[in-house]
Amino acid sequence: MMIKKIISLIPLLWLCFSSFGQINTDRVMANGKNALHFEDYILSIQYFNQVIKVKPYLADPYFYRAVAKLSLNDFRGAEEDCSLCLERNPFIIKAYECRAIARQQLNDFDGAISDYKKVLEYYPNERELMHNQAVAYAQKQDYEEAEKELNSILQRYPDFPKAYLTRGRMYVEKGDTVKAMEDLDKAIELDKYSSYAYATRAMINYMQENYQNAINDYSEAIRIEPQQGYYVNRGLANYQLANLREAMDDYDMAVELNPNDVIARYNRGILRTQVADNNRAIEDFDRVLDIEPDNYFAYYNRAMLRTQTGDLQGAIADYSKVLEEYPDFTPGYQSRSVAKRLMGDAAGADRDLMAAWRMEERSRRDRRSGQDIEDNKKQNPEEDDEDPEAKTRKQSDKNIRNFDKVVVADNVTGESAKYDSEIRGRVQDRAVNLEILPMFVATFYEKPDALKLRAYYNQALFDFNKKTLNDRILRVTNAEAALTEEQIEEHFRSISRYNRRIDADPEDATLYFAQGLDYLLVQDFAAAIEDFTNAIKYDDNFLLAYFNRAVSCTKLLELEALSQPLEAVRPPAPGIVKQNPVVVPSPPAAPEIKPRGIDYELIFADYEKILSLSPEFFYAYFNRGNIRFQVQKDYRGAVEDYSDAIRLEPEFSEAYFNRGISYVYLGENEKAIVDLSKAGELGIISSYNIIKRLEELRTKN
């Protein structure tokens, strides 16, 4: 289905660029990179498809398409594209790295290691690559080679916490928890802000039944990075210590973060059953069964609850479902007998009781002969490994007699281990600490957010939406959503429609603005700027056209500052001798695609015009503050702009956050903490991690 959708887009993309006579591959390639940089991966693939269709001999589009596919978890497609890139140019070393990452995700560890070795020939001091290679050895369970690689890394980089963390995780798999704890303690000493390090140490504490220590470590991991899995595991540790209220709170939070988490839902259902919150327990088991229709533990628990709440017909249906799968489960017949009797079906109740009695008689005879033990092992091979007094069961345990135990994920005790590494995520850039939140833009789409911040009222936007375009609602957001295949298709069609309407009415500012929105959404910033400029030409007071032109110009200049030709092989590092080194000529400079006259002076002029048209349009202050911060490094000026935005919108959480970060860069940490605290109060959870760091820094000083 997805392949058909992608193929259906090709004529639309071609139509979009048909005005060039021949496709302008440099322009399309640039748009693809734009989309890739702004994480609009599906759209970027469509652009690279077009370049490949016209110039299949180029290596670069295959590489960039591989990066997009990698980011979409299409590891097989990423691997294939990297290979196609390297067939055309075997000296693009980044393609080996990208392919190594894809192969590692596909469990082709030998192939990944081979690619990492190739990259390390040219970049022998890249410790992240060395680390990823060590992880690949550990994942293929070649622990001897993994340990040798990690030891080598730590000899060269003794303060590299990730290597200690990975070696500690490897020791857990090997069963050496003493060495594992030593490495994890060292990793945390070097990096107090690695949630994964705390979570891994918590896992070991849980395995050793040091539940309070596990709770403490999971709490620290949650403070750093509130992941749903950490809440689930802390809930288990709290449950082991009979901290039922705390365990319930943890499962509540886990479900809030991921409503479809089966373990959190099931365990919360068990806890709700124990405190007689029967109706809400049934709701949890309902959701579990929506997600896992063959979860017979949930059926049995729900059946008992339905019996207690008077839904006898539903209870009997659930008991019957369980007994179809477990026909020798005596308590199931006994429980169904109770429900049938309450329904007035005395004969059916007696039949179930008689069936249960016969099974018990047979079981007693078999126990005397020893046969029952062997049969039970065949039916429930997991039961032998279970402690009947245990409060928990493994997720893979299928012994229905453990229906009333909370579930522990199989990997919480070290099975199916996952390593913390840089092998996931975007290859083209890395996240850094203390980043400000991005600028706002007027668009139709916004990322869904479980902890959605409040929507801010703005008169200009309200007035504009009275005359909506294509029945869509325009919103101002700094959480832009990537387009789906259907949305991409629709916006290219929309561009074609507006082209025809503009030809018929070339002085309609609204048409130019609408087409500019389409171009902005498909990441063609040069065309968007041209349309917004035309909208302003025919309506000098078009506030949103000024706003989106400023945003488009900023994005284009940001990309220009980051753009560089795809790197081929660098000269080997000292100490590496290569026979007949190959010199790869630099690719020709890309043609000028930036509209003439685009610079930050124009952007600032647009924001000044916006504020003259609408002094209360606080987004203009916010965006201008971002430019002062990121481009001009004028942190004091940024503070002033964010302050003006807050003056106009006192609950502007993003402005509090960015002003707090600006204060950090100014060395005014007390003011930073106040702002970040307010941002956290208003919903920006990451504020608390930064506050914690600043408080620790103050304590040290």
Side-chain angles (χ1 to χ4, degrees):
M1 178 62 72
M2 180 168 285
I3 292 174
K4 290 181 180 178
K5 287 180 179 177
I6 291 174
I7 291 173
S8 71
L9 290 174
I10 292 175
L12 292 166
L13 283 163
W14 186 267
L15 178 63
C16 178
F17 296 102
S18 61
S19 59
F20 290 95
Q22 247 187 351
I23 186 171
N24 184 335
T25 53
D26 293 314
R27 173 72 171 273
V28 177
M29 189 74 181
N31 288 341
K33 291 181 185 179
N34 294 350
L36 187 61
H37 175 76
F38 290 107
E39 302 183 30
D40 207 340
Y41 303 120
I42 294 173
L43 175 61
S44 72
I45 288 172
Q46 311 314 313
Y47 282 123
F48 298 134
N49 285 347
Q50 279 298 291
V51 179
I52 288 168
K53 182 177 180 180
V54 178
K55 295 183 178 179
Y57 51 85
L58 293 179
D60 291 17
Y62 288 101
F63 169 74
Y64 288 114
R65 191 172 71 177
V67 172
K69 289 180 178 179
L70 190 69
S71 301
L72 292 168
N73 289 349
D74 178 7
F75 305 122
R76 183 67 63 195
E79 180 191 31
E80 291 172 358
D81 274 348
C82 287
S83 296
L84 290 167
C85 168
L86 291 167
E87 286 174 12
R88 288 154 177 77
N89 185 349
F91 305 109
I92 297 179
I93 301 304
K94 275 289 181 184
Y96 288 103
E97 181 184 353
C98 182
R99 190 171 67 179
I101 293 169
R103 286 175 167 175
Q104 204 161 354
Q105 296 297 330
L106 292 167
N107 295 332
D108 178 8
F109 302 123
D110 289 326
I113 290 166
S114 174
D115 280 340
Y116 282 131
K117 287 185 182 299
K118 181 72 173 178
V119 181
L120 286 166
E121 289 179 21
Y122 293 93
Y123 305 115
N125 298 317
E126 293 284 348
R127 67 182 191 177
E128 293 290 352
L129 291 172
M130 297 164 65
H131 173 259
N132 283 357
Q133 181 177 262
V135 168
Y137 277 118
Q139 288 174 316
K140 67 175 285 195
Q141 298 185 334
D142 186 349
Y143 297 126
E144 182 178 351
E145 194 62 34
E147 187 169 7
K148 185 168 72 174
E149 289 288 327
L150 290 164
N151 291 343
S152 174
I153 294 170
L154 289 169
Q155 283 179 353
R156 296 175 63 182
Y157 305 103
D159 294 332
F160 186 27
K162 196 178 295 182
Y164 286 105
L165 177 54
T166 296
R167 193 171 66 179
R169 194 65 179 84
M170 182 191 70
Y171 285 140
V172 172
E173 287 194 13
K174 293 175 68 177
D176 190 342
T177 56
V178 174
K179 284 186 176 180
M181 287 297 263
E182 289 175 358
D183 273 348
L184 291 168
D185 288 343
K186 183 66 175 178
I188 290 169
E189 177 190 330
L190 292 169
D191 181 6
K192 294 181 180 180
Y193 307 105
S194 170
S195 64
Y196 186 80
Y198 285 106
T200 306
R201 192 171 70 178
M203 179 190 67
I204 298 174
N205 279 317
Y206 185 94
M207 290 164 56
Q208 296 176 336
E209 300 184 8
N210 297 324
Y211 299 123
Q212 188 57 55
N213 288 344
I215 289 169
N216 295 341
D217 276 340
Y218 279 126
S219 297
E220 195 65 27
I222 287 167
R223 273 194 287 271
I224 295 166
E225 189 178 6
Q227 288 189 22
Q228 161 259 334
Y230 298 161
Y231 284 105
V232 171
N233 289 345
R234 189 175 69 177
L236 288 169
N238 272 313
Y239 183 75
Q240 293 286 7
L241 292 179
N243 301 331
L244 299 187
R245 181 66 265 168
E246 290 82 356
M248 187 76 79
D249 289 343
D250 281 335
Y251 292 132
D252 285 344
M253 193 63 197
V255 169
E256 183 176 338
L257 291 172
N258 181 5
N260 294 324
D261 185 286
V262 170
I263 291 180
R265 284 277 184 184
Y266 185 91
N267 288 355
R268 190 172 70 174
I270 293 292
L271 262 64
R272 284 175 167 175
T273 301
Q274 292 177 4
V275 299
D277 190 358
N278 294 341
N279 288 321
R280 294 207 298 165
I282 289 172
E283 290 174 5
D284 276 333
F285 292 125
D286 285 344
R287 179 60 75 91
V288 169
L289 289 166
D290 286 341
I291 302 165
E292 290 186 353
D294 59 349
N295 191 317
Y296 297 99
F297 296 87
Y299 279 116
Y300 194 72
N301 279 289
R302 189 174 70 176
M304 291 190 299
L305 291 164
R306 282 177 162 177
T307 302
Q308 294 179 41
T309 57
D311 180 9
L312 300 174
Q313 191 168 357
I316 291 169
D318 281 346
Y319 286 131
S320 299
K321 190 86 173 177
V322 173
L323 291 170
E324 286 175 13
E325 182 70 13
Y326 296 95
D328 296 326
F329 182 40
T330 307
Y333 290 97
Q334 294 168 337
S335 297
R336 190 172 67 177
S337 170
V338 171
K340 286 182 176 180
R341 197 169 300 282
L342 290 170
M343 279 276 290
D345 181 6
D350 289 342
R351 283 195 298 272
D352 277 344
L353 277 180
M354 184 59 68
W357 179 80
R358 287 171 180 161
M359 288 178 195
E360 287 180 349
E361 282 296 303
R362 186 172 65 246
S363 179
R364 279 193 287 270
R365 288 196 305 269
D366 290 342
R367 272 198 298 274
R368 287 194 292 270
S369 67
Q371 184 62 36
D372 180 63
I373 297 172
E374 293 304 315
D375 289 345
N376 190 55
K377 283 183 179 179
K378 290 176 183 176
Q379 184 174 346
N380 298 301
E382 301 288 338
E383 186 175 6
D384 235 19
D385 298 329
E386 291 293 328
D387 177 2
E389 301 301 320
K391 296 181 178 180
T392 63
R393 66 174 175 87
K394 291 181 182 178
Q395 192 175 12
S396 57
D397 174 16
K398 300 304 179 186
N399 181 5
I400 191 63
R401 295 178 186 275
N402 292 324
F403 67 89
D404 58 345
K405 296 179 179 179
V406 299
V407 180
V408 179
D410 291 335
N411 63 1
V412 79
T413 55
E415 300 161 24
S416 306
K418 295 181 181 179
Y419 291 87
D420 184 39
S421 71
E422 292 296 326
I423 63 175
R424 298 296 299 273
R426 289 158 50 96
V427 173
Q428 67 271 29
D429 61 0
R430 302 293 183 196
V432 297
N433 290 324
L434 293 179
E435 288 183 331
I436 60 173
L437 298 173
M439 62 185 172
F440 283 79
V441 59
T443 182
F444 298 124
Y445 308 109
E446 188 173 29
K447 289 179 183 175
D449 188 352
L451 297 173
K452 181 75 179 71
L453 304 179
R454 66 187 294 272
Y456 307 112
Y457 175 79
N458 186 269
Q459 187 64 44
L461 196 64
F462 177 79
D463 291 342
F464 183 82
N465 278 323
K466 285 182 179 177
K467 47 178 183 178
T468 55
L469 302 168
N470 294 336
D471 297 322
R472 296 191 187 99
I473 300 299
L474 198 66
R475 66 196 71 195
V476 177
T477 179
N478 71 337
E480 295 177 80
L483 302 186
T484 64
E485 290 100 331
E486 293 84 357
Q487 289 165 344
I488 293 167
E489 184 175 349
E490 171 54 30
H491 285 291
F492 278 117
R493 285 200 185 103
S494 180
I495 288 169
S496 298
R497 288 196 297 268
Y498 281 122
N499 269 324
R500 292 191 295 271
R501 292 178 66 183
I502 287 170
D503 286 343
D505 188 359
E507 296 187 3
D508 187 330
T510 304
L511 294 177
Y512 285 109
F513 179 76
Q515 183 172 257
L517 283 174
D518 285 325
Y519 276 122
L520 179 58
L521 285 164
V522 299
Q523 311 287 359
D524 189 341
F525 303 126
I529 291 166
E530 183 179 348
D531 274 335
F532 293 138
T533 300
N534 280 325
I536 291 165
K537 175 182 175 182
Y538 295 111
D539 182 356
D540 188 45
N541 294 325
F542 204 147
L543 183 148
L544 291 174
Y546 284 107
F547 185 67
N548 270 8
R549 183 172 74 173
V551 169
S552 301
C553 289
T554 304
K555 289 189 173 191
L556 198 58
L557 291 175
E558 176 187 334
L559 290 164
E560 185 181 68
L562 293 172
S563 66
Q564 53 185 349
L566 184 57
E567 190 175 14
V569 176
R570 282 191 265 182
I576 295 182
V577 179
K578 285 194 168 291
Q579 301 295 325
N580 302 319
V582 178
V583 178
V584 181
S586 299
E592 179 72 25
I593 62 166
K594 185 182 73 173
R596 294 183 182 277
I598 298 301
D599 56 26
Y600 285 105
E601 287 186 14
L602 173 63
I603 295 169
F604 274 78
D606 278 349
Y607 286 128
E608 287 295 333
K609 179 68 174 179
I610 291 166
L611 292 169
S612 71
L613 292 171
S614 177
E616 71 280 2
F617 196 80
F618 48 86
Y619 298 111
Y621 284 114
F622 183 92
N623 283 8
R624 191 172 69 182
N626 275 22
I627 294 173
R628 294 193 197 280
F629 183 100
Q630 291 176 307
V631 178
Q632 298 177 330
K633 311 302 179 188
D634 177 9
Y635 306 121
R636 188 67 63 192
V639 165
E640 292 175 3
D641 274 339
Y642 297 136
S643 297
D644 280 330
I646 291 167
R647 171 177 55 79
L648 294 167
E649 175 48 70
E651 295 193 356
F652 198 172
S653 57
E654 295 89 348
Y656 281 108
F657 184 88
N658 282 11
R659 189 172 71 176
I661 299 298
S662 302
Y663 278 132
V664 173
Y665 276 80
L666 288 168
E668 299 178 19
N669 290 352
E670 293 295 331
K671 291 181 178 179
I673 289 171
V674 172
D675 272 350
L676 292 168
S677 176
K678 184 65 174 178
E681 173 190 319
L682 293 171
I684 301 179
I685 303 301
S686 58
S687 300
Y688 294 114
N689 174 247
I690 300 172
I691 290 171
K692 184 173 183 294
R693 299 188 191 198
L694 294 175
E695 293 286 8
E696 287 183 356
L697 184 62
R698 181 173 63 178
T699 302
K700 284 183 180 179
N701 294 335

